[in-house]
Amino acid sequence: MSEKKYEAIVIGSGFGGAINACRLARKWPNGGVLVLERGKRYPMGSFPRTPHDFGRNFWSLNSESVRRPRHIRKTAGSDDLRGMFDVRNYKHMDVVISAGFGGGSLIYANVFMPPPDWVFDDRWPASCKKPNLLPYYEIVKKVLGSRPVPLTGDPRRRLQKTELFQKAAKHSSKNSQLVDINVFFGNDFSNPLTIGTQEKNRFGALQTSCTYCGECIVGCNYHAKNTTDLNYLFVAERHFGAEVRTEHVVTKIVPLSRSGSEDSDADGTNGYRVHFLDLSQEGRVPGSVTAQRVIVSAGTLGSTELLLRAKADLKTLPRISNKLGQSFSGNGDFLGFVLGSHEPADPNYGPTITQRTDYNLFDKFDPNHAFILEDASYPTQLAWFVEGAKPGFLWLGPLFRTAKAILSRIQRSKSLGSVGFAVADILNSDVSYHTAVLLLMGLDRSNGVMSLDENHNLTIDWPFRDSMPLYKAIVDACEGFRDAVSGSRSRAHFVALPTWDWPLRKNITVHPLGGCILADDSSKGVTSADPPTFGQVFEYKGLYVADGSLLPTAAGANPVATISALSERVAEGITGIAPDSGLGVV
């Protein structure tokens, strides 16, 4: 079978890939654009919820056949998982990313927040400063339907966690604001639909007005979350005829000679061949396609890893800048919990994030201690687990009841002070209902390095000590929140992720950034910041990157807005068509 040649191949379907798929398919409709996505589709109602199904909703392939395509195994390993959550473990930093049609949008927390001007420091090329990105921010905001959670007086729209965080901010003399979120409440912003009502969005995809189920980050079964498969990808596929192949893992990119043969010395003028494994067929069937141009949008880790293999391992793209893999950032992510809040937190109800409290990022900027604190939610299923496991804190039911009685007596006698009160409160209350989930992010040093280890696997060197001033300020803010929500007779308790404690000092991020950063020349970065060739890999024509790996530094705020704005600019440079919020169909 002869290969079909496309005008463009887009690798990945998160925000960067979806935007480019849509914009390029408008330029080259009816099969001119191919999208290759390693994960599967998730129609409405298909995200796992049972313990059995959720436990297998992770991504873990036997790496040998993916890493070295010449060693392809004919049958998939028994340890293979092809679910949505891809959890990577590295020294001092773990990373959670997503696999699926829609990429990271399937598990993101919906927030649309352009960072303040001063985030764009001298590591950002002049062409990428915020004033030049403002038109793209506005377009993406309209496409994604960004708006604050509606406040209509309907008691079902009351969010106790939002109120608790606002009160805590006031207690600390900090500014709390509702944030714009990419959640569907109906097409009419001034008159939201009744909770649970279905309606087609303006692009034609059926969505449900947010049900406040708190399940945003495990996949919205109601399609109330504005994921890319309901806007950019929907238009690309349904309106412009882009071809989509899910469950396809890309293994290699090779430039072509004038005759169409693979030539690692070529510069991409004659196009590229993209090799993949088709996971939808038994035995991981290998295949390849060719295109005049390739847009790598596999996410910060995926794109950087794919290009590192091409440069250092397979040597099909040897001239990529030596800056490849540098400037990794976890966007200052930090997760904590405050147990035993005096007033209910009710973290199982409402969109995952609704507000942010500013700590020197937007106001009174301090580059060493700049971050924001956001309320967060977790699904009701996890709340049942927490409540059910509560007796397990003391292991056995009889022991639990005895200890509870003793602690109640201790509480009355005040003999253990605040510690006794905190433990007694936890045992005597519904823990989950009084647990506040703290999600923080800010400006870390953005000086991590991604590379291939001796086994040719991606690794990350994260010098966490360099960002300790930020993390210390974040922990101090969490403890301040704890103090603000403690009661007069009981003290709430702050808990960070166990891996953060010494000696591990291991953080976790859901916002990996950097690795293929934009720059004015190859001595400073990997991709071009010049508007006509924006996002193009230096030394290679027609090879682009469009995702979070482009960012030279942390965004400080949730990075979706900035990733999307940069990706719109990449697409505009390729197509020569100015983007519009109607995606060319509305």
Side-chain angles (χ1 to χ4, degrees):
M1 181 183 295
S2 61
E3 289 179 318
K4 178 179 179 180
K5 185 167 185 177
Y6 297 87
E7 288 290 341
I9 295 172
V10 180
I11 302 171
S13 61
F15 288 98
I19 288 169
N20 276 269
C22 181
R23 302 304 188 182
L24 272 60
R26 181 182 181 184
K27 173 78 171 180
W28 296 291
N30 302 320
V33 174
L34 171 66
V35 179
L36 296 175
E37 164 58 50
R38 63 176 176 150
K40 56 189 176 183
R41 293 178 185 264
Y42 288 91
M44 186 182 294
S46 65
F47 291 102
R49 289 295 181 266
T50 66
H52 171 79
D53 292 342
F54 194 88
R56 296 193 58 80
N57 195 28
F58 290 85
W59 182 271
S60 177
L61 295 185
N62 182 292
S63 62
E64 180 66 17
S65 62
V66 175
R67 186 177 69 248
R68 309 285 288 188
R70 57 182 175 272
H71 294 319
I72 294 170
R73 292 179 6 163
K74 295 304 180 183
T75 57
S78 60
D79 58 341
D80 281 356
L81 295 174
R82 300 176 189 174
M84 183 170 62
F85 292 100
D86 186 351
V87 183
R88 308 284 187 91
N89 304 114
Y90 304 106
K91 185 178 181 181
H92 298 306
M93 180 68 79
D94 292 338
V95 184
V96 180
I97 53 180
S98 178
F101 188 54
S105 75
L106 299 176
I107 63 170
Y108 83 128
N110 317 313
V111 177
F112 188 91
M113 190 185 304
D117 292 12
W118 39 72
V119 166
F120 300 84
D121 60 20
D122 57 7
R123 289 172 288 182
W124 289 75
S127 63
C128 303
K129 301 287 189 179
K130 188 175 179 181
N132 292 318
L133 295 181
L134 285 176
Y136 304 96
Y137 279 126
E138 288 302 313
I139 288 168
V140 175
K141 182 177 181 180
K142 292 177 181 177
V143 174
L144 296 179
S146 305
R147 55 163 297 171
V149 63
L151 302 175
T152 64
D154 183 341
R156 292 179 299 169
R157 294 194 187 277
R158 183 191 175 194
L159 295 171
Q160 296 187 87
K161 68 186 181 82
T162 307
E163 296 174 3
L164 184 68
F165 275 70
Q166 290 172 335
K167 290 177 182 178
K170 186 176 181 180
H171 181 273
S172 303
S173 301
K174 296 294 182 180
N175 178 27
S176 172
Q177 294 182 356
L178 293 178
V179 296
D180 288 325
I181 54 177
N182 307 327
V183 175
F184 188 72
F185 299 100
N187 293 302
D188 184 352
F189 279 24
S190 62
N191 185 27
L193 287 176
T194 303
I195 291 173
T197 302
Q198 291 189 331
E199 180 179 80
K200 287 186 177 181
N201 66 23
R202 63 197 189 102
F203 305 113
L206 183 65
Q207 294 192 251
T208 306
S209 180
C210 181
T211 64
Y212 290 66
C213 67
E215 297 178 358
C216 307
I217 59 173
V218 292
C220 180
N221 268 329
Y222 304 97
H223 278 184
K225 183 163 72 165
N226 293 334
T227 50
T228 59
D229 55 326
L230 301 174
N231 37 72
Y232 285 107
L233 292 171
F234 186 88
V235 171
E237 191 174 19
R238 302 290 186 90
H239 291 274
F240 297 133
E243 183 181 341
V244 175
R245 300 190 197 181
T246 56
E247 299 185 77
H248 279 61
V249 175
V250 172
T251 57
K252 185 168 61 171
I253 303 172
V254 191
L256 301 176
S257 67
R258 183 177 300 178
S259 65
S261 61
E262 295 186 0
D263 182 0
S264 295
D265 293 325
D267 67 355
T269 299
N270 302 300
Y272 298 86
R273 177 169 288 115
V274 175
H275 294 258
F276 56 77
L277 296 175
D278 183 354
L279 304 181
S280 67
Q281 301 186 53
E282 184 177 355
R284 298 180 179 178
V285 177
S288 64
V289 285
T290 60
Q292 187 60 39
R293 53 195 63 78
V294 174
I295 297 83
V296 183
S297 299
T300 291
L301 270 59
S303 294
T304 304
E305 183 176 18
L306 186 60
L307 295 182
L308 279 169
R309 294 197 195 290
K311 175 181 172 63
D313 186 9
L314 303 173
K315 303 186 186 307
T316 60
L317 299 169
R319 295 198 301 275
I320 296 178
S321 168
N322 290 330
K323 293 294 182 181
L324 179 63
Q326 297 187 20
S327 301
F328 171 83
S329 165
N331 203 45
D333 283 3
F334 196 91
L335 180 64
F337 305 86
V338 170
L339 289 70
S341 60
H342 177 63
E343 297 182 28
D346 196 8
N348 316 125
Y349 189 74
T352 296
I353 294 171
T354 63
Q355 71 84 53
R356 56 95 169 160
T357 302
D358 181 60
Y359 286 82
N360 308 315
L361 181 64
F362 287 89
D363 301 324
K364 301 178 181 179
F365 180 61
D366 178 351
N368 295 314
H369 309 94
F371 61 95
I372 55 175
L373 164 65
E374 297 175 335
D375 61 310
S377 299
Y378 55 84
T380 303
Q381 296 93 326
L382 184 56
W384 280 107
F385 172 80
V386 171
E387 293 298 331
K390 184 167 61 178
F393 295 151
L394 296 173
W395 207 53
L396 292 173
L399 182 59
F400 166 70
R401 288 191 293 272
T402 302
K404 180 176 177 181
I406 294 172
L407 285 169
S408 295
R409 188 179 297 271
I410 290 173
Q411 184 176 17
R412 288 193 296 272
S413 67
K414 302 183 180 180
S415 60
L416 282 184
S418 61
V419 175
F421 290 137
V423 176
D425 261 1
I426 290 171
L427 294 177
N428 279 291
S429 67
D430 44 354
V431 179
S432 180
Y433 194 55
H434 288 267
T435 294
V437 186
L438 282 57
L439 179 61
L440 304 101
M441 62 197 74
L443 295 181
D444 60 26
R445 294 295 185 183
S446 308
N447 61 345
V449 177
M450 290 178 280
S451 61
L452 299 181
D453 63 18
E454 63 276 8
N455 296 315
H456 308 282
N457 292 318
L458 185 73
T459 186
I460 299 176
D461 179 13
W462 175 242
F464 73 94
R465 290 183 180 86
D466 295 344
S467 295
M468 279 306 292
L470 170 67
Y471 294 137
K472 185 180 184 303
I474 283 175
V475 170
D476 289 345
C478 293
E479 293 175 344
F481 183 95
R482 172 204 62 200
D483 296 341
V485 302
S486 293
S488 58
R489 297 192 69 250
S490 63
R491 184 175 177 83
H493 185 61
F494 164 63
V495 180
L497 287 178
T499 56
W500 175 248
D501 291 334
W502 187 88
L504 293 178
R505 279 288 185 250
K506 196 172 193 181
N507 206 358
I508 188 168
T509 181
V510 294
H511 300 127
L513 304 170
C516 303
I517 66 171
L518 292 157
D520 292 322
D521 60 68
S522 60
S523 68
K524 299 177 182 178
V526 178
T527 50
S528 172
D530 186 30
T533 57
F534 200 82
Q536 185 169 260
V537 176
F538 289 118
E539 304 296 333
Y540 290 97
K541 297 179 180 178
L543 179 62
Y544 298 84
V545 177
D547 54 31
S549 66
L550 294 176
L551 275 67
T553 71
N558 306 69
V560 162
T562 302
I563 293 170
S564 300
L566 293 173
S567 298
E568 284 279 15
R569 204 163 186 199
V570 172
E572 182 180 20
I574 296 172
T575 64
I577 302 174
D580 67 294
S581 61
L583 303 183
V585 297
V586 178

